[in-house]
Amino acid sequence: MTDPFAMGPALLFCPADRPERFAKAAERADAVILDLEDAVAPDAKADARLNLAETPLDPERTIVRVNSADSVHFEADLEALEATAYRTVMLAKAESANQLALLRPYRVVALCETAAGVLAAPAIAAQPNTVALMWGAEDLVASLGGTSSRRHDGAYRAVALHARSAVLLAAGANGKAAVDAVYTDIPDVDGLAAEVEDAVASGFAAKACIHPRQVAAVRAAYAPSDEAVAAARALLAAAEAAGTGVFQYEGKMVDGPILRHAQTVVGRAGQGR
């Protein structure tokens, strides 16, 4: 099966009780997250599960978000999945490595969005069926009894930034991808662009979107400019010509980590669409 994060960086949530939106979401994003959890009211969840099989998408570009392992809906979600070709799931409110064992047949994007989940992120990331970690700001703050993940200027509060970094580090330490949280202010394209730029530079493999209009900003941030690609290639060529571990290039010291940065830029060329 294709690595979910070889699909592209823009992951778009789509409520599973809105099958008329499935194809449109698939057309507009790199991958679709069919949501059985927060986006679906309790009395609509049964129909939403049926929609998974009745309105199929390409399983290589589809992730299904199931309800948390301690939810009354979890077992029914798994039964519905068995009737589909989908084998990549997102586990809402993942809080322990033991929960990943309940999803052994599936590749799991573990959503660490509670205090317990963030603290357990290293153990969750170490599980063999975990392919990625994602973090969530609003559920995290709610689990702490807080009221907002962001300050009035739109910047994350310290606890949210700590959780974001902790999940990214846990994923990276275990060789797994990390997905950055959604940006909830849909009209604020500039704020989204700045946040995605930071996600790219920090090492997140993808960004989750809640509206199709957010996809373009995510793709743009993950696709380096022609100038950035040309500069990275020139640096790599200079390193090959130098033939040494450390050398000076355009007045700056260059060593292994800097070269890996350049390799990442070249590797992302053409990733955005």
Side-chain angles (χ1 to χ4, degrees):
M1 174 179 279
T2 301
D3 182 333
F5 304 101
M7 301 172 185
L11 314 180
L12 178 60
F13 276 102
C14 181
D17 63 341
R18 300 298 301 271
E20 74 279 4
R21 296 184 182 179
F22 287 10
K24 293 179 181 178
E27 289 172 2
R28 297 181 184 184
D30 299 317
V32 177
I33 305 170
L34 297 179
D35 191 4
L36 292 171
E37 198 220 8
D38 283 347
V40 181
D43 61 358
K45 287 187 185 291
D47 287 340
R49 295 185 193 103
L50 292 176
N51 292 335
L52 297 183
E54 294 177 355
T55 313
L57 296 176
D58 179 0
E60 300 292 325
R61 297 180 54 236
T62 306
I63 300 166
V64 178
R65 177 160 78 164
V66 298
N67 287 272
S68 62
D70 60 359
S71 165
V72 297
H73 305 290
F74 182 70
E75 292 297 333
D77 289 351
L78 296 191
E79 290 178 10
L81 275 170
E82 290 176 2
T84 75
Y86 302 134
R87 288 299 175 266
T88 304
V89 303
M90 177 178 287
L91 177 61
K93 299 176 179 65
E95 293 190 334
S96 74
N98 290 339
Q99 293 176 348
L100 275 293
L102 304 174
L103 292 164
R104 281 201 183 99
Y106 300 97
R107 296 156 55 83
V108 182
V109 178
L111 182 44
C112 300
E113 53 182 340
T114 65
V118 172
L119 292 179
I124 293 170
Q127 299 310 298
N129 60 331
T130 299
V131 295
L133 299 185
M134 179 175 162
W135 78 289
E138 303 312 323
D139 277 290
L140 169 67
V141 171
S143 79
L144 296 169
T147 58
S148 174
S149 68
R150 296 181 187 265
R151 301 195 303 264
H152 291 302
D153 63 0
Y156 276 125
R157 298 184 187 280
V159 68
L161 288 175
H162 173 80
R164 185 178 190 244
S165 297
V167 170
L168 176 61
L169 290 168
N174 287 277
K176 308 296 174 66
V179 181
D180 200 21
V182 299
Y183 192 81
T184 58
D185 189 349
I186 296 171
D188 183 15
V189 178
D190 290 341
L192 170 64
E195 190 164 288
V196 185
E197 181 181 1
D198 180 77
V200 174
S202 298
F204 284 94
K207 177 81 169 174
C209 304
I210 57 172
H211 194 281
R213 74 175 65 168
Q214 295 181 323
V215 169
V218 172
R219 286 175 169 168
Y222 274 89
S225 66
D226 292 342
E227 293 79 7
V229 174
R233 286 177 172 155
L235 175 58
L236 294 172
E240 185 175 355
T244 59
V246 178
F247 68 103
Q248 188 178 105
Y249 180 75
E250 295 185 345
K252 297 179 181 179
M253 184 199 78
V254 176
D255 59 3
I258 303 301
L259 295 178
R260 289 197 294 274
H261 295 172
Q263 290 164 350
T264 297
V265 171
V266 172
R268 284 202 176 116
Q271 186 174 5
R273 302 177 189 175

